[in-house]
Amino acid sequence: FFVPESPRWLMERMQRAKALEILTRVNGPASAAAILAEIEATVGSEKKGEFAELLRGGMFRLLAVGVMLAVFQQVTGINVIMYYAPSIFKSAGFGADSALLQTALMGMVNLTFAGISMLLVDRIGRKPLMVIGSIGMTIAMALLSLTFITGRTQGYWVLLCIMGYLAAFGLSLGPVVWVLLAEMFPNHLRGYAVAVATVALWGANFVVSMSFPYLLAELRGYSFIIYASMCLLCLVFVLAYVRETKGRTLEELERELRLRTQLTN
């Protein structure tokens, strides 16, 4: 009920007054008119995108980055923790009632840090949050693995490791991946590209979710080393391939992308 329509969508349908109203509310009156003019020029000049464009040259490399970000959001272990938390807590020696209570607490931690991320993403930036979160997730998952391997699962150490992981995820990969996917592709191809990345995300979710019970039964604590390694790989990938998008309009990002694509092709 409270989310506005996209100004770009409104401009495509010749609803200029509504687009200006939303841009004024979001960006302030000083910037709204300039941004609207930029959107108007882009909408008027760009051709309708075709899916095949995503498979060419620099655009395919950009799509690969988006797909990998989506996959990393899952293979770093978030839904292993969220879906199988009661099983993890039970294997650490907690009772069923205690395991369910701790699972509810996990949801609160994840939600709280996602809210903090919303406050920080336009101040600190997307890439710094992704780096900070990936480091935190790597440390927390490695400690969780070490806890199970050494058999020191008594007390609340397992819970603390999981809460630390969820805080880092909620601050970074949870919300920020979706922000990056919405900003990194050109306007005329964004729908196709985000759809492909989302399919990859839920495909990775399926694989991780189906494989974890087997890994936990066979490898026990060592299974968490796999997810810690994925968190570390995610950190390396973000440092190497993710570009900051903070503080720029979609049109500015598209011009930069077009120039970069021309230089690399």
Side-chain angles (χ1 to χ4, degrees):
F1 292 109
F2 301 103
V3 175
E5 295 287 0
S6 160
R8 290 154 187 85
W9 184 86
L10 291 170
M11 285 301 296
E12 287 175 356
R13 286 152 183 80
M14 308 302 292
Q15 299 182 43
R16 193 176 193 281
K18 287 185 178 180
L20 181 60
E21 178 187 341
I22 291 166
L23 287 169
T24 301
R25 191 195 329 168
V26 175
N27 301 99
S31 303
I35 295 173
L36 184 66
E38 197 173 26
I39 293 172
E40 198 167 17
T42 304
V43 168
S45 63
E46 70 182 15
K47 66 183 189 308
K48 183 175 175 58
E50 296 180 0
F51 183 81
E53 287 184 65
L54 284 174
L55 307 179
R56 298 175 192 150
M59 200 55 63
F60 181 74
R61 288 190 288 273
L62 186 64
L63 177 65
V65 171
V67 167
M68 288 304 299
L69 281 174
V71 169
F72 272 125
Q73 193 199 59
Q74 297 299 311
V75 298
T76 46
I78 180 57
N79 284 321
V80 163
I81 299 296
M82 297 304 290
Y83 295 166
Y84 295 106
S87 299
I88 294 170
F89 286 126
K90 284 180 185 177
S91 67
F94 291 95
D97 292 341
S98 176
L100 288 172
L101 177 63
Q102 287 156 1
T103 303
L105 182 61
M106 287 166 48
M108 292 175 60
V109 169
N110 197 19
L111 176 62
T112 299
F113 278 86
I116 294 171
S117 179
M118 288 170 60
L119 297 175
L120 296 179
V121 70
D122 280 328
R123 299 179 186 179
I124 294 177
R126 286 76 163 133
K127 187 168 182 174
L129 283 179
M130 290 285 285
V131 169
I132 292 167
S134 297
I135 292 171
M137 290 163 60
T138 302
I139 293 171
M141 195 62 83
L143 289 175
L144 181 63
S145 176
L146 188 62
T147 298
F148 274 94
I149 290 170
T150 59
R152 299 179 183 275
T153 56
Q154 301 305 311
Y156 287 90
W157 186 244
V158 170
L159 181 62
L160 288 173
C161 291
I162 288 177
M163 295 303 173
Y165 172 87
L166 287 172
F169 180 87
L171 190 69
S172 58
L173 268 72
V176 179
V177 163
W178 293 110
V179 175
L180 285 168
L181 290 178
E183 293 178 336
M184 63 190 294
F185 300 107
N187 287 332
H188 68 295
L189 293 174
R190 184 171 297 113
Y192 292 129
V194 173
V196 171
T198 304
V199 168
L201 186 149
W202 290 111
N205 174 283
F206 177 80
V207 172
V208 170
S209 301
M210 294 299 289
S211 62
F212 178 69
Y214 172 80
L215 293 174
L216 184 63
E218 296 296 321
L219 302 178
R220 196 164 165 74
Y222 291 98
S223 60
F224 297 108
I225 291 179
I226 298 172
Y227 307 115
S229 300
M230 292 297 105
C231 294
L232 185 59
L233 282 176
C234 179
L235 171 63
V236 173
F237 182 83
V238 168
L239 288 170
Y241 295 106
V242 172
R243 293 177 178 270
E244 183 57 72
T245 58
K246 181 189 78 166
R248 285 175 283 175
T249 67
L250 295 176
E251 286 68 35
E252 289 171 336
L253 291 168
E254 182 165 356
R255 282 197 300 272
E256 180 185 312
L257 172 63
R258 190 178 295 117
L259 177 61
R260 199 166 66 240
T261 302
Q262 289 171 354
L263 291 174
T264 54
N265 284 345

